[in-house]
Amino acid sequence: MGNLQCIDANHVTVHPQTESFLGWELLLKNTAPNALHDSRARYDAPKCDEDTRVEVIGEIVTFIKNWDGPQRLLCMTGAAGSGKSALQQTAAERCEEKGTLGASFFFSATDASRNVMDRVVPTIAYQLGRENPGVKTLINDAVEKDPLIFSQSLRRQILTLIVKPFEHLGSEGLDLRTLPYAILIDGLDECRGEDSQAELIRAIKECLLVNHLPFRIFIASRPEWAIRTALAPGGYFRALAYHIQLSDKYDASGDMCRYLQRRFHALSSQTGNQHWFTQNDIDRLVSAASGQFVYVAMAFNYISERRGSPAERLKIVLTWTPHDGRETRPFEALDMLYKKILLTAKNAYEAVDTNRGREFLLLLGIHHLNITSHGLRGWHFSANVLSRLLGLGAGSEEDLFSDLRSLLTLDRDDSGDSTLRLYHKSFSDFLEEKSRAGAFFVPRSRLYTHLESRESAESHFLRDLANTVHHLPRILLNANNIGTTEIGHELAGFTKKGGWHKLDRSLSALLPKWPIVSSGSSFDIFLLHVRGLVRFLTSEDAAVLLKFHDKWVRDWAEYKLRTGHTQEVNGQVDLKNT
C-alpha cells in the first residue's frame, strides 16, 4: 500500500503505513497450540528410543524424503497401543532436524482444543507461514479478505490458506521444494465424528495430493471406519497411499526388550542394585504385552515410581491379578483406553436402528468366549457361523466389530469363514475381570443364558446342520447307486455353486453329531464316498474337492485325538489306500 498523508492547517506530514497483520492474528485465535509436536501440553511425549523401531522409522523417513516416489501420502494404521504416536513424534523430530517439517497436528480425544476438526487447517497453515515470511503474508491477506474462512468447509480452508499461497509463490518462480514440506497428522481416530474424519480425508485427497505442490503427508490412525474405508478398494486413498500396517507388518518384541533393558539398567545405576531384575522378567513383560508398546511403557512407569522399590514393584507387575484385593493398579491407564474405545463402539453400534434391542457388550462377550480356551460349552464356531447362531444375519460380525478394529481383527480364509483375533492378551484379560472392566463386564453366566434363550446354542445349530446335510446332493452318501452321467452333472453344479465351501463351514460343529444328522453313517465312510467322487470330476473340480477332502481327514483325526472318540466300523477304512 502507499503512504498515508495526514493533513493539518499548517503543513503536511507523511507517515509510512504500518503493515497490517490482522488476518494473521485472527488465524492464531483459531489454532490449537497443544496439537504441535513440541507443545508444552505434550511435554515428554512418547517417542522411540535410539535403537528401537529402526526398520519402520527408516521406512517412514525414506518415504518422506523420496521426491521421485509415485505416492505423496503415507498412512500408518495399527492397533491401540502399538506405538503410532511415538513413531509420529520421532518422525516429526527427525524432519525438524532436517529442516523438512512443515507442520504437525496431534489429535487427542481428551483435549477439547484438538479433538475436533475446526482447528486443524488453521494450525497447519500457521506452521507453514511461520517458516516462510512470504507464505505468512499471503495467508494474512487471505484471512483479511475473508475473515469467515474458518467457518467454511475444510476443502475451502485448505484451498484458501494453503494451496493458493503456495501456488502464488510457485508462479513467481520460487522452487517450492526448498520450503519445509512434510505435514504429519497423528491420531485421526481421536477426532470427534467419523464424518469429520472422512471430510478431512477427502479434502486432503482433492487439494493437497497434486503434482504442483511439494507436500508429503503422513497420517497415523487406528484402523477405524474413516481411514479403513479410505484405504479399502474403491476408497479415496486406495491408489494414492503408501500403507504401513504396523500391527501386522512389524514385530516389536525385540524393540520392547531393548526398551526395558535400557531403562532397567538405568534404574540399577540409580539404586545401586544391579541384580533386582533378570532377563526372564523382561521376557515375561514383553510376552504379556502382545505387541503393545503402551503396555511395557505403563509397566515401566509404575516400576520406576520415585518413592517405591523397583524390585518390589516389578514383582507386583509380574504377579498382579486384579481380583486379589490389591489396591495397586499398574495398568489402570490401559484399562481406561479400553473403556474409551468400547464406549465409542457401543454407542455407535446401538444407535443404528436395525441394531435396536441388541446389546453390544453381550454380543461381544459371546464372540470373545467363543475364541477362548473355554469355547461355548466345548464348541468353537467361526465368527460368521456364530452370527447366524445368534440370529444376527450374515455379515453382522462386521458391523459389530466395525469400531473395534484397533483391538481386534477378522481373519478370513479361502472359504469365506471369518475368525476373530484379538491383538492383545491384555484386552482379553480386561473383558474377563469385573474389577478391570467395571460397567463393561458381562458375567459368563449371562452369556450362556442368552445363548440358551435362543433355544440353546446346540439344538439351534444342530437343526441348521441337519438341514444342511439334508440338502446336500444325495451322491455324497450313496454314490454307488447313481448313474455316472447324473453324478457328473450334479457334482459340477454343486462345485460351481460353492457347495464344498458351504459344507466346510459347518463341519467343525457337525463332526461330534454326525451320527444324529446322517442316520448313523460313519464319518469315515462319508470321507470314503467323497474321495471316490474324484473320478467323476474334471481335473479342475477334482483339485477343489481334494483340497477339502484332505482338510476334513485332518479335522476328523484331530477331533478323535482331542476327544478320545473312535467309531467302530465293519471293515475299517484305510483312507491312505483309497
Side-chain angles (χ1 to χ4, degrees):
M1 296 180 66
N3 294 328
L4 179 64
Q5 295 184 338
C6 298
I7 303 175
D8 63 21
N10 300 311
H11 61 273
V12 176
T13 305
V14 179
H15 300 284
Q17 182 185 15
T18 303
E19 187 176 0
S20 170
F21 276 100
L22 295 178
W24 187 255
E25 292 174 5
L26 185 56
L27 176 83
L28 294 179
K29 292 179 180 179
N30 285 274
T31 62
N34 289 355
L36 276 60
H37 82 282
D38 55 355
S39 70
R40 187 165 59 183
R42 301 188 65 253
Y43 168 74
D44 198 27
K47 60 182 178 180
C48 303
D49 281 9
E50 183 177 354
D51 59 349
T52 64
R53 315 310 294 267
V54 174
E55 187 177 359
V56 64
I57 291 172
E59 190 171 359
I60 293 168
V61 171
T62 298
F63 174 88
I64 291 175
K65 70 180 183 180
N66 183 15
W67 281 98
D68 298 323
Q71 295 154 315
R72 296 172 176 269
L73 172 68
L74 169 63
C75 288
M76 180 173 67
T77 59
S82 58
K84 299 181 296 298
S85 292
L87 286 163
Q88 273 280 26
Q89 181 70 26
T90 302
E93 294 181 4
R94 294 281 182 90
C95 289
E96 186 175 43
E97 292 171 1
K98 298 292 185 182
T100 59
L101 180 63
S104 63
F105 194 99
F106 284 73
F107 283 103
S108 173
T110 60
D111 186 336
S113 72
R114 51 190 178 112
N115 65 0
V116 291
M117 202 61 68
D118 299 354
R119 297 175 180 265
V120 175
V121 178
T123 304
I124 292 174
Y126 154 73
Q127 295 171 82
L128 293 172
R130 178 186 62 180
E131 297 299 322
N132 184 275
V135 175
K136 179 178 180 180
T137 299
L138 290 168
I139 292 174
N140 171 77
D141 294 345
V143 177
E144 287 189 353
K145 183 178 179 181
D146 186 3
L148 297 182
I149 183 63
F150 307 109
S151 62
Q152 298 177 28
S153 69
L154 293 179
R155 184 179 186 278
R156 174 57 58 187
Q157 291 183 47
I158 291 176
L159 287 173
T160 301
L161 301 176
I162 300 175
V163 174
K164 289 183 179 179
F166 273 78
E167 286 180 338
H168 180 83
L169 291 177
S171 68
E172 293 187 342
L174 177 66
D175 184 355
L176 298 181
R177 296 192 299 179
T178 62
L179 300 177
Y181 57 84
I183 298 176
L184 279 54
I185 299 173
D186 182 64
L188 178 66
D189 56 282
E190 298 266 325
C191 175
R192 197 164 59 208
E194 292 176 341
D195 291 340
S196 293
Q197 298 171 25
E199 183 186 4
L200 179 61
I201 286 172
R202 287 195 300 271
I204 289 174
K205 185 260 183 183
E206 294 170 1
C207 303
L208 296 181
L209 301 181
V210 292
N211 289 332
H212 63 277
L213 294 176
F215 304 116
R216 290 291 186 273
I217 300 171
F218 176 22
I219 300 176
S221 175
R222 296 175 195 150
E224 305 298 3
W225 176 82
I227 194 72
R228 194 170 71 245
T229 54
L231 292 167
Y236 289 107
F237 286 166
R238 177 66 174 185
L240 300 173
Y242 182 81
H243 185 196
I244 296 177
Q245 295 176 284
L246 189 61
S247 299
D248 299 327
K249 185 174 181 180
Y250 292 100
D251 181 4
S253 299
D255 290 330
M256 289 189 287
C257 182
R258 287 187 288 275
Y259 169 91
L260 289 175
Q261 286 173 336
R262 176 183 289 109
R263 279 157 174 73
F264 281 8
H265 282 300
L267 285 179
S268 298
S269 301
Q270 295 172 20
T271 62
N273 179 6
Q274 301 294 322
H275 306 290
W276 65 275
F277 72 94
T278 66
Q279 182 60 44
N280 182 58
D281 296 333
I282 291 178
D283 292 342
R284 289 173 62 188
L285 287 173
V286 172
S287 176
S290 304
Q292 273 178 305
F293 245 102
V294 66
Y295 183 95
V296 295
M298 288 178 180
F300 176 74
N301 287 342
Y302 175 76
I303 292 167
S304 61
E305 282 287 344
R306 297 175 184 174
R307 293 176 178 81
S309 163
E312 288 300 318
R313 286 178 173 259
L314 173 61
K315 182 179 179 181
I316 289 173
V317 170
L318 292 173
T319 62
W320 178 74
T321 53
H323 50 73
D324 60 2
R326 289 176 174 160
E327 295 183 359
T328 301
R329 297 188 178 277
F331 302 109
E332 186 172 12
L334 186 60
D335 292 346
M336 291 175 63
L337 173 64
Y338 291 150
K339 290 176 182 178
K340 181 180 70 174
I341 294 172
L342 283 174
L343 180 61
T344 300
K346 177 180 183 296
N347 291 341
Y349 180 81
E350 295 180 356
V352 178
D353 288 342
T354 54
N355 294 331
R356 294 287 169 82
R358 298 177 181 176
E359 294 186 49
F360 172 83
L361 295 173
L362 181 66
L363 298 175
L364 172 63
I366 292 173
H367 274 278
H368 174 248
L369 185 61
N370 179 53
I371 63 172
T372 64
S373 58
H374 314 290
L376 300 176
R377 302 193 189 283
W379 293 59
H380 293 270
F381 308 115
S382 63
N384 50 304
V385 169
L386 182 55
S387 291
R388 295 199 298 271
L389 168 63
L390 293 170
L392 301 181
S396 63
E397 66 278 0
E398 294 284 353
D399 293 334
L400 181 67
F401 301 132
S402 177
D403 295 290
L404 292 177
R405 294 308 180 97
S406 61
L407 300 175
L408 52 82
T409 187
L410 287 169
D411 296 329
R412 292 198 177 277
D413 59 23
D414 293 338
S415 68
D417 270 352
S418 56
T419 301
L420 179 63
R421 176 170 60 88
L422 304 187
Y423 284 123
H424 312 303
K425 181 181 181 299
S426 61
F427 180 55
S428 181
D429 295 340
F430 168 87
L431 291 174
E432 293 182 349
E433 294 293 347
K434 182 177 182 180
S435 59
R436 292 185 64 185
F440 297 91
F441 175 75
V442 181
R444 187 170 300 169
S445 59
R446 184 153 182 262
L447 303 179
Y448 282 120
T449 297
H450 182 76
L451 287 168
E452 290 165 359
S453 72
R454 301 201 55 79
E455 301 176 351
S456 110
E458 184 172 322
S459 63
H460 179 90
F461 196 67
L462 281 178
R463 284 199 306 276
D464 181 59
L465 290 176
N467 186 57
T468 299
V469 173
H470 177 72
H471 287 92
L472 289 177
R474 52 199 173 99
I475 52 176
L476 292 180
L477 297 177
N478 195 14
N480 293 329
N481 297 331
I482 304 175
T484 301
T485 301
E486 186 177 354
I487 293 175
H489 178 74
E490 192 168 0
L491 274 177
F494 184 70
T495 304
K496 183 177 181 180
K497 294 177 181 178
W500 306 114
H501 289 275
K502 295 175 183 178
L503 177 59
D504 183 58
R505 283 200 293 266
S506 298
L507 277 183
S508 62
L510 178 62
L511 292 180
K513 301 297 180 180
W514 181 264
I516 297 175
V517 297
S518 60
S519 304
S521 299
S522 163
F523 195 74
D524 288 318
I525 297 297
F526 168 77
L527 290 173
L528 176 64
H529 285 313
V530 169
R531 180 66 176 78
L533 297 176
V534 171
R535 67 183 185 274
F536 302 111
L537 297 171
T538 65
S539 59
E540 183 178 354
D541 288 346
V544 174
L545 174 58
L546 286 174
K547 181 184 73 171
F548 286 108
H549 171 269
D550 293 345
K551 178 179 182 296
W552 297 336
V553 169
R554 294 192 300 271
D555 290 347
W556 181 229
E558 291 174 2
Y559 169 74
K560 291 191 290 185
L561 182 63
R562 185 173 67 251
T563 62
H565 175 74
T566 57
Q567 285 189 343
E568 296 296 332
V569 180
N570 293 332
Q572 183 67 35
V573 176
D574 182 0
L575 291 174
K576 294 182 179 179
N577 297 322
T578 302

